[in-house]
C-alpha cells in the first residue's frame, strides 16, 4: 500500500526535478542567445559608425536607437534621453563617444531596459539596416563601399569585435 504522503512526496520530487531541467534548458538557451547577439555586434557597430572613425557619437547612437523607438513606439519603455544617459554611464573614458567595448555594454543595458533579449535586439537593428540598404540599392542610391565623411574610404573591419582592441 502507498500512502497519500508518499504519493505527495513523489509528485513534489518529480515537479522539482522537472523545474530544474526546465531551468537548465532556459539557461542554455539564454547563453546561446547572448552569444549570438555578441557574435553579430561587429557588423552592427560598423553600420552605426557612419563616419567610419571607429567610435559612435551621440548622433550615431540616437539614429540607431530611434529606429527601435519608431518601430516599437507602443512598447518602448525607454526614452531617447534615457538612452543618452545610458551612453554616458558606459562611456568609461568620458570622451562622449563609444568604442566597441562601450557599445557592447550600452546595448546590453539597452536590452535590459527594454526587456528584449540582446540577440533579438541586434537582429532587429541588422534587419533594419539591411532593409534600408536594399531600398537604396534598388533605387541606385547605394554606394558600393562605405566611405568616411571626409571622403576617404573607411578602414575594413576584419579584426573582429575585440581584435582591434588587442592590437
Amino acid at each position: 500500500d502507498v500512502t497519500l504522503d508518499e504519493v505527495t512526496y513523489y509528485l513534489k520530487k518529480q515537479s522539482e526535478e522537472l523545474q530544474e531541467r526546465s531551468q537548465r534548458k532556459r539557461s542554455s538557451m539564454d547563453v546561446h542567445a547572448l552569444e549570438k547577439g555578441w557574435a553579430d555586434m561587429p557588423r552592427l557597430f560598423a553600420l552605426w559608425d557612419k563616419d567610419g572613425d571607429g567610435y559612435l557619437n551621440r548622433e550615431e547612437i540616437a539614429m540607431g536607437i530611434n529606429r527601435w523607438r519608431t518601430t516599437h513606439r507602443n512598447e518602448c519603455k525607454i526614452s531617447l534621453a534615457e538612452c543618452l544617459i545610458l551612453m554616458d554611464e558606459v562611456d568609461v573614458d568620458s570622451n562622449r563617444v563609444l568604442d566597441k567595448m562601450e557599445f557592447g555594454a550600452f546595448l546590453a543595458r539597452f536590452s535590459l531596459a527594454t526587456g528584449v533579449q540582446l540577440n533579438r535586439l541586434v537582429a532587429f537593428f541588422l534587419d533594419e539596416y539591411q532593409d534600408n540598404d536594399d531600398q537604396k540599392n534598388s533605387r541606385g542610391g547605394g554606394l558600393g563601399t562605405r566611405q568616411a565623411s571626409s571622403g576617404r574610404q573607411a578602414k575594413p573591419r576584419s579584426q573582429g569585435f575585440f581584435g582591434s582592441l588587442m592590437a
Side-chain angles (χ1 to χ4, degrees):
D1 282 337
V2 177
T3 67
L4 183 58
D5 287 340
E6 290 172 330
V7 171
T8 303
Y9 173 79
Y10 177 75
L11 290 175
K12 184 177 178 185
K13 187 168 175 88
Q14 274 191 330
S15 175
E16 288 171 355
E17 288 174 1
L18 183 61
Q19 286 177 345
E20 190 176 308
R21 273 186 274 158
S22 178
Q23 179 61 33
R24 278 194 307 263
K25 185 177 180 180
R26 270 195 308 271
S27 222
S28 174
M29 289 169 42
D30 289 346
V31 168
H32 177 70
L34 186 61
E35 287 172 346
K36 176 70 175 136
W38 280 108
D40 290 336
M41 198 79 65
R43 287 180 35 222
L44 183 58
F45 185 91
L47 289 169
W48 283 27
D49 184 14
K50 294 295 185 191
D51 59 10
D53 65 354
Y55 297 95
L56 299 178
N57 60 40
R58 294 173 83 75
E59 183 180 329
E60 290 166 328
I61 291 288
M63 285 173 33
I65 293 303
N66 273 333
R67 287 178 183 255
W68 172 266
R69 291 182 40 72
T70 300
T71 304
H72 296 85
R73 184 169 295 141
N74 294 335
E75 57 195 79
C76 194
K77 303 173 187 174
I78 186 168
S79 69
L80 184 56
E82 291 168 320
C83 289
L84 296 177
I85 290 170
L86 280 180
M87 181 181 171
D88 291 338
E89 289 174 358
V90 300
D91 184 13
V92 177
D93 50 10
S94 300
N95 61 354
R96 298 185 58 84
V97 294
L98 300 184
D99 61 23
K100 293 173 184 177
M101 293 290 286
E102 293 166 336
F103 178 63
F106 171 80
L107 274 187
R109 287 192 180 192
F110 184 77
S111 171
L112 288 172
T114 59
V116 177
Q117 288 182 338
L118 183 64
N119 67 314
R120 290 186 178 160
L121 195 61
V122 172
F124 165 81
F125 286 125
L126 289 174
D127 288 346
E128 280 291 302
Y129 277 92
Q130 182 64 45
D131 291 346
N132 191 29
D133 286 346
D134 289 347
Q135 289 173 1
K136 280 183 186 176
N137 290 335
S138 69
R139 292 190 307 253
L143 299 174
T145 60
R146 209 170 134 242
Q147 294 191 348
S149 59
S150 65
R152 62 180 164 69
Q153 185 169 335
K155 294 178 186 175
R157 299 174 194 267
S158 59
Q159 297 177 350
F161 192 63
F162 298 107
S164 63
L165 298 172
M166 303 302 172

